[in-house]
Amino acid sequence: MQILANIVVLTSLYALVACGYVLVYKVSRVLNLAHGELMILGAYLLVATSAGIASDPLVAIALTAMFSIVVGLSVYLLLMRKMTGQPVLAAVLTTVALGILLRGAMVLIWGPQQLNVGAMISFDNASIALTDSVRVSTAALWLVVCTFLVYLGLLAFLHMSRWGMRMRASGQNALLAAQRGINLHTVYALAWTLSTFSGSLAGVLVTLDSRIDVNMAVIGLKAFPAALVGGLDSLPGALIGAGVIAALEVLLIHYVNPLLSDVVPFLVLIAILIVRPWGLYGTKEELNRV
Amino acid sequence: MTDILEVTELEVTYQRSIRALHGVNLRVAKGQITALLGANGAGKSTTLRAISGFIGLDNARVTAGNVRYLGEDITGLQLPKTIHKGIVLVPERDKVFTNLTVAENLEVVSTTRAEGSNWRQIEEEIFVYFPRLAKLRNKPAGLLSGGERQMLAIGSALVCKPNLLLIDELSLGLAPVIVDEIIERLRDIHARTDLSILLVEQSAAVAFALASYGFVLENGKVELEGATQDLRTNQKILELYLGTGSAGRADYLANARRRREERANV
Ligand SMILES: Nc1ncnc2c1ncn2[C@@H]1O[C@H](COP(=O)(O)OP(=O)(O)OP(=O)(O)O)[C@@H](O)[C@H]1O
Ligand SMILES: [Mg+2]
């Protein structure tokens, strides 16, 4: 049972990170390879907020969420906006550069050592007993709840609001979207903002459960196969992909060898690319993307 | 009669080197349906795209000439600004969002001219023009037939509240019954609104059935223009689009078959 709880928690983490890849890819066909770094930046923003502005954990987290929206918007306006209409490869390479830049900047500002963010904002990460034998930490519980709410919110937004529809429409046919009066810049800015927001949320929640250093950006890379397994342009697909990767990872760690943890996602990635390159739920005609 | 659109000496270049239009001149009279005829590759789509605006992805530029709309110079104006001015295009291919339902295809439209209006009401207006779409409301547009797609495309263009509607290939690939139905619907829409329409067609018959004036485009230049009743009897048009056109195709097919047989015999 404890294993099941661990799988659910890890699924939530991968799913929350993966939806950021999906959002940007779905509307603009751009793979954001800086997503892991943006996620960790969210956690460092919490460090900065709690040190400088607010000491109450909830206020600090809320402020961090707002800053992450500003970050997402700036990344689009200052950087990716110029890439609109350029070959997709150029945009992807720009995100690689952004990732490297962010990593360097974060080391410069906050140092290479591990920080204990939970202690800094005096967050009480008590272990909660779900049943007699199953325990999860408070932060992990938050993570599961937040992921659930984020997915619910995103799906409702994409399918029930006009701007959500416009995001789906622009992803399917950007030219036609422009021909129907939709401002592509607004749509892309929205995608980057939502993506960075959900990524930062994941970063914040994961650091409350452990310590943080720049190398944790690798979680972004491990969640990428989750998005790809699901097809990269499907939110439910990303959720299922996250489940598959998390389950395999937890089970292999438990029954085979803990050292496998970092390889599992990429083994699954390769397997999927060979068997079903368009993912479990992705649009089939996107085959030429890889 | 005043013109809603006036295109003079328009030149368009793709990818900085491929010249598609070599000085196109045409006019659309207010409240009238005007046809633009021409063979494949003549530059019809390019003309419509240049009027309705390119986006960065097209890598296309108006290199000379100008486009005047309601007396205002709008040369090179990009999407979606043209939409807000009331110029709306029904494109040749990819004319609906296949992953959205019929109703969503109508709702997704964004223009200051339609924003804030009552959505149910706008949808119902479109369904009055195209009753067939009402039954398909919740069906993904990707599953529609060609005719239904064309109706939805015209419908979603109408939601933008155009003054000038540009239609690229109204009848291409559609069965004659459907073409008749769509012609009927367009006449009805045209009668009820003060819409001006510029219609690109390969079928002279369809163009003549709707339009009052026509232009013939050849290799990026207008070669011929006139009222449709004059064009109808024009010898050149007859050769190009009515008589010898299909006969020519039959010849070509026969020749191709003969060549194939000869090759097989060798
Ligand atoms: N995106 C593009 N890049 C480069 N050249 C293009 C592009 N689009 C069109 N062209 C060229 O411009 C010329 C005119 O094309 P256009 O599509 O306007 O013709 P058309 O009259 O609409 O033909 P059709 O009846 O086949 O639709 C053609 O020679 C075509 O090869
Ligand atoms: Mg064309």
Side-chain angles (χ1 to χ4, degrees):
Chain A
M1 280 314 281
Q2 182 64 46
I3 286 189
L4 195 65
N6 291 350
I7 290 177
V8 170
V9 171
L10 195 59
T11 300
S12 304
L13 174 60
Y14 285 161
L16 193 55
V17 180
C19 76
Y21 286 110
V22 172
L23 279 169
V24 169
Y25 184 84
K26 195 177 165 74
V27 302
S28 62
R29 306 286 136 184
V30 171
L31 199 55
N32 175 16
L33 291 176
H35 194 55
E37 279 77 12
L38 284 167
M39 172 191 134
I40 293 306
L41 181 61
Y44 277 120
L45 283 176
L46 182 62
V47 173
T49 319
S50 59
I53 309 173
S55 51
D56 184 75
L58 278 180
V59 177
I61 290 174
L63 280 174
T64 306
M66 273 166 49
F67 287 142
S68 74
I69 289 175
V70 175
V71 170
L73 203 58
S74 319
V75 167
Y76 179 72
L77 291 179
L78 302 178
L79 202 62
M80 303 314 293
R81 190 186 150 92
K82 298 199 179 64
M83 291 288 134
T84 312
Q86 301 296 318
V88 167
L89 187 62
V92 176
L93 290 178
T94 308
T95 68
V96 174
L98 173 68
I100 295 170
L101 206 75
L102 281 177
R103 209 178 259 247
M106 287 188 287
V107 173
L108 274 180
I109 300 172
W110 288 287
Q113 76 282 15
Q114 287 199 330
L115 299 177
N116 187 346
V117 184
M120 291 168 93
I121 64 168
S122 51
F123 173 78
D124 179 19
N125 193 19
S127 168
I128 298 168
L130 294 179
T131 66
D132 290 343
S133 58
V134 182
R135 306 184 71 86
V136 295
S137 64
T138 311
L141 206 59
W142 276 39
L143 178 65
V144 176
V145 172
C146 284
T147 304
F148 179 74
L149 290 178
V150 164
Y151 268 75
L152 211 63
L154 280 178
L155 284 172
F157 176 70
L158 286 175
H159 288 268
M160 275 139 80
S161 79
R162 302 267 305 282
W163 276 105
M165 275 179 214
R166 285 171 190 160
M167 285 176 73
R168 287 191 291 141
S170 308
Q172 202 259 316
N173 186 342
L175 175 60
L176 183 60
Q179 284 165 343
R180 288 294 166 265
I182 298 168
N183 190 332
L184 292 176
H185 288 307
T186 314
V187 166
Y188 294 158
L190 209 55
W192 276 92
T193 307
L194 288 173
S195 161
T196 309
F197 173 77
S198 58
S200 299
L201 193 62
V204 164
L205 291 169
V206 84
T207 45
L208 289 183
D209 217 5
S210 61
R211 287 152 200 263
I212 181 191
D213 64 57
V214 173
N215 293 326
M216 283 177 71
V218 77
I219 294 175
L221 276 187
K222 286 172 75 180
F224 171 61
L228 198 111
V229 165
L232 259 186
D233 60 358
S234 153
L235 280 180
L239 203 55
I240 290 167
V244 170
I245 303 244
L248 281 173
E249 188 172 332
V250 169
L251 293 175
L252 285 176
I253 289 175
H254 192 261
Y255 292 111
V256 186
N257 187 339
L259 291 176
L260 281 173
S261 148
D262 283 347
V263 241
V264 172
F266 302 102
L267 288 178
V268 179
L269 177 73
I270 289 168
I272 281 284
L273 282 179
I274 291 168
V275 183
R276 260 180 93 89
W278 57 91
L280 297 175
Y281 287 85
T283 319
K284 206 164 176 175
E285 70 241 17
E286 298 307 332
L287 247 178
N288 56 3
R289 67 171 186 239
V290 199
Chain B
M1 206 171 347
T2 53
D3 292 333
I4 186 169
L5 182 80
E6 197 178 350
V7 174
T8 24
E9 293 299 325
L10 191 69
E11 287 185 18
V12 169
T13 309
Y14 283 109
Q15 293 154 19
R16 293 176 186 277
S17 56
I18 307 166
R19 177 87 62 84
L21 301 186
H22 304 271
V24 168
N25 292 291
L26 62 83
R27 298 168 315 281
V28 177
K30 212 170 193 164
Q32 301 291 308
I33 303 183
T34 304
L36 182 59
L37 289 157
N40 289 115
K44 307 179 299 289
S45 299
T46 305
T47 307
L48 292 198
R49 290 293 322 277
I51 297 166
S52 70
F54 292 112
I55 62 173
L57 284 171
D58 292 318
N59 203 355
R61 273 222 326 263
V62 174
T63 41
N66 65 61
V67 179
R68 291 185 80 79
Y69 167 75
L70 289 171
E72 182 192 354
D73 189 352
I74 59 154
T75 317
L77 195 67
Q78 295 227 328
L79 286 165
K81 292 201 185 88
T82 46
I83 308 283
H84 300 306
K85 292 204 176 286
I87 303 173
V88 181
L89 172 72
V90 177
E92 179 178 356
R93 277 173 252 118
D94 303 327
K95 50 186 85 191
V96 296
F97 298 109
T98 50
N99 60 338
L100 267 53
T101 65
V102 168
E104 286 174 337
N105 262 280
L106 298 174
E107 285 167 20
V108 82
V109 166
S110 163
T111 91
T112 41
R113 299 156 67 81
E115 204 87 44
S117 14
N118 181 338
W119 276 95
R120 277 272 151 241
Q121 197 181 327
I122 289 178
E123 267 171 40
E124 293 308 325
E125 268 172 41
I126 302 301
F127 292 153
V128 168
Y129 293 137
F130 299 107
R132 212 187 254 252
L133 292 181
K135 293 189 212 85
L136 301 168
R137 183 182 253 133
N138 294 317
K139 199 169 178 181
L143 303 179
L144 299 186
S145 72
E148 291 160 351
R149 269 181 210 225
Q150 186 67 292
M151 292 179 196
L152 179 58
I154 297 172
S156 76
L158 288 177
V159 177
C160 300
K161 295 212 185 298
N163 291 330
L164 173 63
L165 185 64
L166 311 169
I167 305 179
D168 200 352
E169 308 284 10
L170 183 69
S171 67
L172 193 72
L174 303 182
V177 234
I178 299 292
V179 173
D180 288 345
E181 184 181 339
I182 294 180
I183 289 179
E184 186 74 19
R185 306 279 85 215
L186 263 187
R187 280 211 186 104
D188 180 35
I189 293 164
H190 184 244
R192 288 200 217 184
T193 56
D194 55 355
L195 197 59
S196 315
I197 301 177
L198 178 57
L199 177 73
V200 157
E201 261 296 335
Q202 305 224 5
S203 151
V206 172
F208 292 159
L210 278 164
S212 53
Y213 202 86
F215 294 84
V216 178
L217 205 58
E218 247 173 71
N219 297 325
K221 268 182 110 66
V222 170
E223 288 295 334
L224 200 65
E225 65 168 277
T228 40
Q229 66 262 32
D230 301 334
L231 289 179
R232 215 185 289 253
T233 52
N234 185 294
Q235 197 52 44
K236 201 166 174 189
I237 292 269
L238 288 178
E239 275 168 23
L240 276 174
Y241 297 104
L242 297 174
T244 51
S246 52
R249 195 151 48 230
D251 279 355
Y252 173 80
L253 288 176
N255 281 338
R257 201 175 311 121
R258 209 180 48 238
R259 258 177 310 200
R260 228 186 355 260
E261 280 162 8
E262 277 169 13
R263 238 174 320 175
N265 289 339
V266 168

